[in-house]
Amino acid sequence: MVGNADKPGVVITGGAAGVGWAYAVEFSERGYPVVICDVKDTSAAIAAIRQRVPNGAPVFGTQCDVSDSASVELLGEFAKEKLGTVGWWINNAGINGGRRPFVDVPIKAVEAVVKVNLLGVLYCTQVAIKLMHEQQGSQGHIFNTVGSGVKGGGTPGYVTYGATKRGLPQMTDSLVKELTVGVQGYDRKPTKGVANCHTLSPGMVFTDLLLDDSTPELRKFPFGVLAAQPEEVAADLVPKILATSGQGAKVEFLSTDRVLVKFFERFLLGKKSLYIDDDGNVIKKPGAQYTENGNRALY
């Protein structure tokens, strides 16, 4: 089965949970066929998307370890087979290695974070660019997900994570230059299609990545003021992703205006968080299921 021939498809890494899963729901509901991949089996995630949007565009899933280049090559082949044309590739997969002092982080955990967050994005981006360059007359868009540390400043407790995220805007800017003006001393090769690179910032999202090893103080602020649910973030970002054109866009959920509004509501109007109580505990909604760290299960 191949996706909707009328619309290009979407690839989402780390798409079996969190905001990646919510992106897939939004794209499918809007009629765009999707491939999600994850390091774990995607069957349950696919079934949940189909249950959520029974009349949506097809969603396909495959296991992929983005830190393994051979696995990423297979993901590219799978996406081409299932989608035909890939219009959007979202590098969403990421890990943080846990919140703790850097000297207490096992070296294997440091390696894992760098491999997934930096090498994984490099592998996926190269595969995506090559794929999009072979698509006759097509404009493809690659989005690299940035996070804490991206604008400088410290990320205590997340040294490795912050370092990997800080590198992604530089990587994206470099690719934008290569894809538009080329590399000095090298002839530009003609391509059938165009690949464009951008950054994507979902901000603080209530997921395991955010809540693991968190404290009541962190949950009260900044989480209780600035963090949002995956569905809210996806509903805001997917239309922005689809509307993006050209090279080097910076697509974000937690814009300066949004931050100022949230600060105004919380600290001047005294508006309470819908998700965190005054003691820094996650507010659990009736009928919803939660993991031990307070993360709400999406399916």
Side-chain angles (χ1 to χ4, degrees):
M1 181 180 182
V2 178
N4 186 344
D6 296 331
K7 292 183 177 180
V10 186
V11 176
I12 304 169
T13 68
V19 72
W21 185 85
Y23 290 151
V25 171
E26 281 288 329
F27 279 114
S28 176
E29 192 167 31
R30 293 168 184 271
Y32 293 88
V34 180
V35 161
I36 64 169
C37 78
D38 208 284
V39 71
K40 63 185 179 184
D41 183 79
T42 60
S43 300
I46 296 293
I49 294 170
R50 288 174 177 159
Q51 184 176 18
R52 183 73 64 93
V53 280
N55 297 317
V59 180
F60 310 94
T62 185
Q63 276 188 271
C64 174
D65 178 0
V66 297
S67 70
D68 180 84
S69 59
S71 187
V72 174
E73 292 283 354
L74 291 174
L75 170 62
E77 294 173 10
F78 182 85
K80 183 177 180 180
E81 174 192 346
K82 296 299 183 182
L83 301 176
T85 300
V86 175
W88 299 268
W89 183 300
I90 301 174
N91 287 319
N92 170 73
I95 60 175
N96 63 22
R99 191 182 72 86
R100 68 191 81 176
F102 181 65
V103 294
D104 294 336
V105 180
I107 289 299
K108 289 295 183 184
V110 173
E111 290 178 353
V113 173
V114 173
K115 285 180 177 178
V116 172
N117 294 3
L118 194 51
L119 283 177
V121 175
L122 287 164
Y123 295 155
C124 286
T125 300
Q126 187 181 85
V127 166
I129 290 173
K130 289 179 177 180
L131 188 156
M132 291 172 180
H133 278 172
E134 287 299 314
Q135 297 178 158
Q136 186 67 49
S138 172
Q139 285 272 347
H141 296 273
I142 301 160
F143 288 86
N144 295 322
T145 301
V146 297
S148 297
V150 68
K151 295 181 180 179
T155 53
Y158 301 106
V159 170
T160 311
Y161 175 82
T164 60
K165 291 300 182 179
R166 179 69 166 160
L168 295 182
Q170 198 281 336
M171 167 197 161
T172 304
D173 289 345
S174 296
L175 285 169
V176 167
K177 291 289 187 181
E178 284 196 11
L179 293 167
T180 52
V181 300
V183 178
Q184 188 177 16
Y186 291 84
D187 293 333
R188 295 189 67 186
K189 299 176 182 178
T191 61
K192 298 176 182 178
V194 176
N196 303 280
C197 286
H198 319 278
T199 57
L200 179 67
S201 178
M204 295 183 187
V205 189
F206 284 110
T207 61
D208 286 333
L209 195 71
L210 186 74
L211 291 170
D212 276 350
D213 303 315
S214 64
T215 64
E217 289 73 22
L218 282 173
R219 291 193 291 272
K220 284 189 286 186
F221 182 82
F223 301 174
V225 177
L226 297 176
Q229 295 294 337
E231 297 95 332
E232 179 185 358
V233 174
D236 178 83
L237 288 181
V238 166
K240 293 176 180 177
I241 290 168
L242 291 172
T244 297
S245 60
Q247 290 274 13
K250 293 174 173 58
V251 178
E252 59 184 4
F253 172 77
L254 205 54
S255 63
T256 300
D257 287 348
R258 193 184 296 269
V259 170
L260 292 174
V261 168
K262 286 179 177 287
F263 277 9
F264 179 80
E265 291 176 341
R266 179 68 183 92
F267 298 115
L268 293 180
L269 300 183
K271 183 178 179 180
K272 301 282 189 181
S273 170
L274 296 175
Y275 310 117
I276 305 294
D277 67 22
D278 292 340
D279 295 319
N281 300 309
V282 173
I283 299 172
K284 297 181 178 180
K285 305 297 183 183
Q289 295 183 337
Y290 293 82
T291 58
E292 188 175 343
N293 64 11
N295 184 35
R296 177 177 58 88
L298 297 178
Y299 58 89

